[in-house]
Amino acid sequence: MRLQSYPTLSVVLSCTCPLMPASLAHLHTNNCSSIFAHHPMLIQTQINPTLKIPSFSRKPIQTHTLKDICLRGNLKEAFQSLPVSSNDHPDETYAPVLELCAQKKALSQGLQIHAHMIKSCSVSESVFLATKLVFMYGKCGSVRNAEKVFDQMGQRSIFTWNAMIGAYVSNGKPFEVLQTYKEMRVLGVSLDAYSFPSLLKASGLLKNLYLGAEIHGLAVKFGYDSTVCVVNSLVAMYAKCDDLFGARRLFGRIDQKDDVVSWNSIISAYSSNGRSMEALELFREMQKAGLDSNTYTVVACLQACEDYSFRKLGKEIHAAVLKSAQLLDAYVAGALVAMYVRCCKMSEAVRTFNKLEEKDKVAWNSVLTGFIQNGMCSEALHFFHDFQNAGEKPDQVTVISILVACGRLGYLLNGMELHAYAIKNGFDLDLQVGNTLIDMYAKCSCVNYMGYAFNRMPDKDLISWTTVIAGYAQSSYALKAFELFRELQLIDIDVDPMMIGSILLACSELACVPQVKEIHGYIMRRGLSDVVLRNMIVDVYGECGNIDYAVQTFESIQFKDVVSWTSMISAYVHNGLANEALELFHILNKTNIHPDSIALKSALSAASSLSALKYGKEIHGFIIRQNFCEGSIASSLVDMYSRCGMVENAHTIFKSIQSKDLVLWTSMINAYGMHGHGKVAIDLFNKMKENLTPDHVAFLSILYACSHSGLTAEGRQLFEIMKYEYQLEPWPEHYACLVDLLGRANCLEEAYEFVKSMQMAPTAEIWCALLRACQVHSNQELGEIAVQKLLELGSTNPGHYVLVSNVFAAKGRCKDAEKIRSRMKERGLKKSPGCSWIEVGNRIHTFMARDKSHPDCHHITKKLDQITEKVEKEGGYLAQTKFVLHNVEESEKVKMLYGHSERLAIAYGLLKTAEQTPIRVTKNLRVCGDCHTFCKLVSKLFGRELVVRDANRFHHFEDGVCSCGDFW
């Protein structure tokens, strides 16, 4: 805006008639005669008879000086009233206009006034006007212009120095205040009462108590320590420097506490230091002293209402504000919005915001930030649209809030739009904006743009490095995370526990124990080993398979929290030590620490892997008492009961949940498939599709159910539906499941053609499924192809080599079988020994093949001999030695079959459990054909239901029949 855009006036007519046109009202009086003399119409009117002039009120017309206009706050009128030349009284002319510009923060108009002053008079000669200019520039945020005026002054008064110090303080430049203060001391400039508030505020901003105490000493020396404004500033300084005791002591020394500003200072001191109750108690004292609150009091008290527990007090203050209309201004309204945000009352915050007559950007950002802080990210984006529709432009705070919302919601495209806006406006170079951009891209798993945002930042702090390293670690870019961590160690930034946590996550991804040990040592040396980090170390050692180090770290934690226990239980479960996990969970229940949902899911997983029904029921009882039976806990319960052979119980849990998510449906479908109820699983799958969209895991479960129930046609159809109707690209596991389904149905050629038509390279599991089917159906030609393909892949799964070895052994190719076993040894692979276990009483009893370690070994062996004798005599059982693939004598093969681990477990069950109760046995490997026949005969001749869970599925043996239909 240029000064010339306003009409410049010489003198305002004091005799102007109210009916005179506005255009004539501004004419210079010296020009009136010439205009009347030359205008033809006016000449004509002079000849006519005299006009009858109506009489007007003789009340004198009030004139307004420039000072009066400025006091009214009308900047435009003040500009119109400026004289062209003010050489006579420049101070009186310009001072009020400069003060008005400072009040309105009107920098553009202030610059025009400065230019006008330079043209009309010598600014440098007037210390008073130059001081006013420094003051105006400081208030308008133009410190550089203030410095230029200050530096060009030949003479300066104490008011000039105060104006310059005030400019620095109000623009957040405390170091410059300190330099100016030193210069004043060197030049011997005497401080006055108005010097101290700015100096003390700078000390508070720097949190420099030593400097503040020095200035306090000067105030005492010059006799200003009793001046109200100085005392108030001293209280605020001590509070900012975290010395509330000093602030309260100063306040207590005030004899007459009748100044509301003093009360505001001490209330603000406690409020800003998080001492909310003390702040509000002081407010009560102020009310008892009979002092009226002002807007600053209200704002300080609202700031003291820092969380949900203060919501009632906040509403009381709001009610008091509404009763006193003079207290409700923009600052108070903004503080009310912020208070409701902190108290998690977003509806009240929005209602208060909507009642604001003038909504500034601070108010908009307060509500926006409130939505984010209260986890209402979708609402934040809707509110942002209202923000834009109102014509507001986003600043750094706005951009940060919306980026957070985009990150949490996974809205990558919206986040990228904001990134482009930030680049266009230079916001992306801001430290906080840059950090938020990194976090947003990390949450959206967009590591390329995350790295770009990080590299573009001119300045990086610990948060920048921590966020980008965490982003790479969480996105499975562990090596990149380590690379940045090494780079960070070369610069002077201290590593904090959060950074270490991100690096430990990267270690977990790499499963690199030496790296974990190195980080563990680094933590110990740096003294960063708090409970949170130790819990993470336990978890990472567990993930990397080093259970001994996990146990040592767990035991070294003196004050264990629920996360400590949960991490150790999860580590046991992850490493197949379910017994130890359940024992530790039992110990946890004896402490005063209540298990959380993660601990409960880990314990249920341990019970599931052991088929420990009694333990599972105990955990279920605890869950019911704690009212945890929802969401993922319900899915874990369904899985536990199904793996313990109690599919009816699993279905009861399933039916009891009102809001079923996809995971729960999938768990129930998987349960039915595991127990051979394929058609029921398909019906449930179709019912699920009515309300939910199946994902890859849901389709894998239903294909698994079809495979174990011989539903070949249904399996083919479901595979096509997944691929073409739901546009889900099959995983290798889906292909392996369909190959297994076709192989079980003896559709081996179709299975092989299906494998060849795959768009991806077949995995070892796929060839293994085909090879197992070829072995069952004696298809040697396809079996050879599958063997070659499997060996070419160089699998690290010992089960694959065992299968190939068994295929060779079954064909009498003992040398080839021996070669495969030698290859396993060379690669450090070991076959998992057959193991079975049974839950009897309060213990899990484990048996290996031909085991002699059990305390009741003699009784178990005797009982097994009795059982074998009975099934041979009454059931016609004859050992099928073809299932023993070792090159030994026939009699030795029979002994090996008789000593299989599941038979020992069944014998122990018959020995120790009551009649008519089911015997539940779990085996880690697939049940062989001979043991399958043995179990059918035992269930018939002893009248007991046998529930055997092997590595593939459940077998329910009852009255000589198996639920699998001899199809497993």
Side-chain angles (χ1 to χ4, degrees), residues 10-289:
S10 299
V11 178
V12 179
L13 290 174
S14 61
C15 59
T16 307
C17 172
L19 298 179
M20 186 180 291
S23 58
L24 296 181
H26 294 286
L27 293 174
H28 195 287
T29 54
N30 295 337
N31 295 334
C32 289
S33 59
S34 61
I35 292 173
F36 280 105
H38 294 91
H39 200 284
M41 185 177 288
L42 293 176
I43 295 172
Q44 182 67 33
T45 57
Q46 290 175 353
I47 303 171
N48 291 338
T50 307
L51 293 172
K52 294 181 179 180
I53 307 290
S55 60
F56 296 99
S57 171
R58 294 185 178 275
K59 183 178 179 180
I61 298 173
Q62 292 184 352
T63 60
H64 297 289
T65 64
L66 184 58
K67 187 175 182 180
D68 293 332
I69 295 169
C70 290
L71 287 174
R72 291 206 306 268
N74 192 325
L75 188 59
K76 184 175 181 179
E77 189 179 351
F79 261 65
Q80 290 175 335
S81 302
L82 271 177
V84 174
S85 177
S86 300
N87 290 325
D88 294 336
H89 305 287
D91 291 359
E92 296 176 9
T93 303
Y94 291 112
V97 185
L98 287 171
E99 288 176 1
L100 184 59
C101 289
Q103 180 187 336
K104 299 284 187 180
K105 299 188 186 305
L107 178 61
S108 177
Q109 288 84 348
L111 287 165
Q112 292 179 64
I113 295 293
H114 192 178
H116 197 269
M117 290 166 62
I118 293 170
K119 289 179 181 178
S120 61
C121 65
S122 177
V123 181
S124 59
E125 294 177 0
S126 174
V127 176
F128 175 75
L129 278 183
T131 301
K132 289 289 183 183
L133 279 169
V134 173
F135 176 78
M136 181 273 295
Y137 280 128
K139 287 294 182 182
C140 293
S142 181
V143 178
R144 174 164 289 188
N145 281 322
E147 288 175 333
K148 284 181 179 178
V149 175
F150 182 81
D151 292 340
Q152 289 171 4
M153 292 177 67
Q155 293 181 342
R156 302 180 186 120
S157 68
I158 183 59
F159 303 107
T160 312
W161 289 96
N162 289 345
M164 193 65 243
I165 293 172
Y168 284 134
V169 168
S170 60
N171 288 279
K173 295 181 177 293
F175 287 105
E176 286 79 354
V177 174
L178 184 59
Q179 290 298 118
T180 308
Y181 167 65
K182 289 179 179 177
E183 189 178 347
M184 290 174 72
R185 298 299 304 276
V186 170
L187 295 174
V189 179
S190 297
L191 304 177
D192 68 0
Y194 298 101
S195 307
F196 290 101
S198 295
L199 293 171
L200 290 167
K201 187 174 181 181
S203 303
L205 290 171
L206 292 168
K207 290 190 177 296
N208 189 333
L209 187 59
Y210 178 82
L211 175 63
E214 179 186 324
I215 295 167
H216 187 180
L218 281 175
V220 173
K221 180 180 178 181
F222 293 149
Y224 295 122
D225 57 320
S226 299
T227 306
V228 175
C229 65
V230 176
V231 173
N232 294 340
S233 299
L234 281 166
V235 169
M237 181 275 294
Y238 280 112
K240 286 280 177 63
C241 294
D242 301 323
D243 185 6
L244 279 179
F245 176 76
R248 189 62 182 267
R249 186 173 56 185
L250 267 174
F251 180 75
R253 287 178 181 173
I254 302 174
D255 295 328
Q256 296 294 325
K257 296 184 178 67
D258 53 0
D259 179 37
V260 69
V261 179
S262 303
W263 285 95
N264 290 345
S265 297
I266 193 65
I267 291 170
S268 296
Y270 277 94
S271 178
S272 59
N273 279 271
R275 305 279 288 274
S276 300
M277 291 307 300
E278 291 93 330
L280 294 171
E281 285 171 8
L282 283 164
F283 175 58
R284 297 292 188 202
E285 288 181 29
M286 174 183 163
Q287 289 180 314
K288 290 177 183 178

Side-chain angles (χ1 to χ4, degrees), residues 37 87 153 267 296 348 441 452 540 578 632 717 729 828 838 867:
N87 290 325
M153 292 177 67
I267 291 170
Y296 294 100
E348 294 292 336
Y441 282 123
Y452 169 80
V540 174
S632 58
Q717 184 182 8
E729 190 61 34
I838 183 172
I867 296 168

